[in-house]
Amino acid sequence: TLRTEERQRLARERREEREKQHAAKETQILEKERKAKLQYEKQLEERQRKLKEMKQKEEQRRAAVEEKRKQKIEEEKERYEAVMHRTLERNQRLETRQKRWSWGGSVTPDSESKTALLSTGSKRSTSTANLKQAEGAVSKRLSSSAALLNASDRTRRSQLSPLDSSVISRLLAPTQASLARSKSAATLSAD
């Protein structure tokens, strides 16, 4: 009887020990599952946070690129306007210069030039006489200087080839524009 009781007690202790081990294993498994779940949720949150940051960076980069593009367009527009402004100013200066150096032009606007012409009606005959005298003096000077140039250059040209001499004669011949400038300068100085 003692042996049977001893056996039963040992068997009961072994069973209880097995149940304890089994319960401990289940607890460990549950703890591992809980930890794995927490880690998965943490990884998921981290991934979502990174995606959100990447999206924000992409939006900031896009906004910066768009701002740069707008700034470039604005700079090109300002540069274009500056070029147009300079071109207009240059054209106005050229027109003013052409009016100043042309035969009948003046720097003043048309209305002022008309009133000035009306007020100087009596002086017109004397100014045209002066103009004709200045023209004669300029043409005499030009013809004499051309004759001198031709005389002094004939000796040099005889040593050059025909092509070189034709180029030099074309370069030395006064152009219509230079003649007109000389006449208008003489007219202005005579006035």
Side-chain angles (χ1 to χ4, degrees):
T1 57
L2 283 173
R3 277 187 180 177
T4 53
E5 284 177 8
E6 185 70 21
R7 276 188 209 145
Q8 287 174 353
R9 188 179 62 78
L10 286 172
R12 195 171 39 245
E13 283 177 2
R14 280 199 295 268
R15 201 181 316 120
E16 286 174 359
E17 188 66 30
R18 276 199 304 270
E19 285 175 0
K20 279 182 186 177
Q21 286 175 357
H22 186 68
K25 278 184 182 178
E26 279 187 5
T27 308
Q28 282 178 354
I29 290 169
L30 287 172
E31 186 66 24
K32 279 183 182 177
E33 285 177 357
R34 189 183 67 81
K35 282 182 181 178
K37 192 177 179 182
L38 282 173
Q39 190 173 359
Y40 174 75
E41 287 174 356
K42 193 176 179 181
Q43 284 176 348
L44 195 65
E45 284 177 7
E46 187 71 20
R47 197 177 298 142
Q48 286 176 349
R49 187 181 62 79
K50 282 183 179 176
L51 282 171
K52 196 175 180 181
E53 282 179 2
M54 282 173 62
K55 201 174 181 181
Q56 283 178 349
K57 281 181 183 176
E58 184 66 24
E59 285 176 2
Q60 286 175 354
R61 189 187 66 79
R62 244 187 243 135
V65 166
E66 184 66 23
E67 185 65 30
K68 212 172 195 178
R69 189 181 67 81
K70 283 181 182 176
Q71 191 175 358
K72 195 173 181 182
I73 288 172
E74 191 66 31
E75 285 174 0
E76 286 178 0
K77 188 179 175 185
E78 287 175 4
R79 201 176 305 129
Y80 176 74
E81 286 175 356
V83 166
M84 289 299 292
H85 185 67
R86 281 198 302 269
T87 307
L88 286 173
E89 280 183 353
R90 197 178 304 128
N91 287 345
Q92 285 175 352
R93 279 199 304 266
L94 282 172
E95 285 176 11
T96 307
R97 202 174 297 149
Q98 285 173 355
K99 282 180 185 175
R100 193 182 303 148
W101 291 105
S102 66
W103 286 105
S106 64
V107 183
T108 58
D110 288 340
S111 60
E112 292 178 12
S113 65
K114 284 175 186 173
T115 55
L117 283 172
L118 286 174
S119 65
T120 58
S122 60
K123 296 178 185 177
R124 186 175 293 172
S125 59
T126 56
S127 65
T128 52
N130 288 340
L131 182 64
K132 285 179 182 175
Q133 287 175 356
E135 265 185 55
V138 167
S139 61
K140 280 179 189 175
R141 254 187 256 150
L142 285 173
S143 61
S144 63
S145 62
L148 284 173
L149 280 171
N150 287 336
S152 63
D153 287 339
R154 274 191 202 120
T155 54
R156 275 189 241 143
R157 277 193 225 157
S158 62
Q159 299 166 354
L160 297 173
S161 67
L163 180 65
D164 291 339
S165 62
S166 67
V167 169
I168 288 173
S169 63
R170 281 183 63 202
L171 287 172
L172 289 173
T175 61
Q176 289 180 352
S178 65
L179 289 172
R181 278 197 299 273
S182 303
K183 286 178 184 178
S184 53
T187 306
L188 285 173
S189 63
D191 286 347

